[in-house]
Amino acid sequence: KLDEPMAHFLLRQLDGRNDRADLVRLLDREVSAGHLEVSVDGRIPDPARILPVLQAVLEHHLKKMADYALLVE
């Protein structure tokens, strides 16, 4: 199930107005503001290197949402 705050945030942004780059920027803004947390192996990534991490997180959640038939082409 999609019970993670990151997934909830992303689901609200999937209204057809945001592409993947927009979604990564929105995630970066939320993480930088402290509204969302992201970690890799239990550690918070260096802010200078967080974009690739957020891209991977985005792809992970988009796949999960597609698997649950929340997204269609």
Side-chain angles (χ1 to χ4, degrees), residues 3-62:
D3 59 357
E4 300 171 33
M6 188 85 64
H8 287 197
F9 173 79
L10 284 170
L11 196 54
R12 289 190 307 268
Q13 308 310 313
L14 298 175
D15 59 4
R17 293 184 288 182
N18 298 306
D19 62 13
R20 280 177 164 81
D22 294 330
L23 293 169
V24 170
R25 281 191 291 275
L26 289 168
L27 286 174
D28 186 36
R29 182 188 71 198
E30 293 297 303
V31 169
S32 295
H35 299 141
L36 291 173
E37 294 180 7
V38 65
S39 64
V40 176
D41 298 326
R43 298 182 350 188
I44 297 172
D46 178 354
R49 298 176 186 201
I50 199 159
L51 289 181
V53 172
L54 294 177
Q55 289 168 338
V57 166
L58 172 63
E59 293 304 321
H60 166 78
H61 284 295
L62 290 177

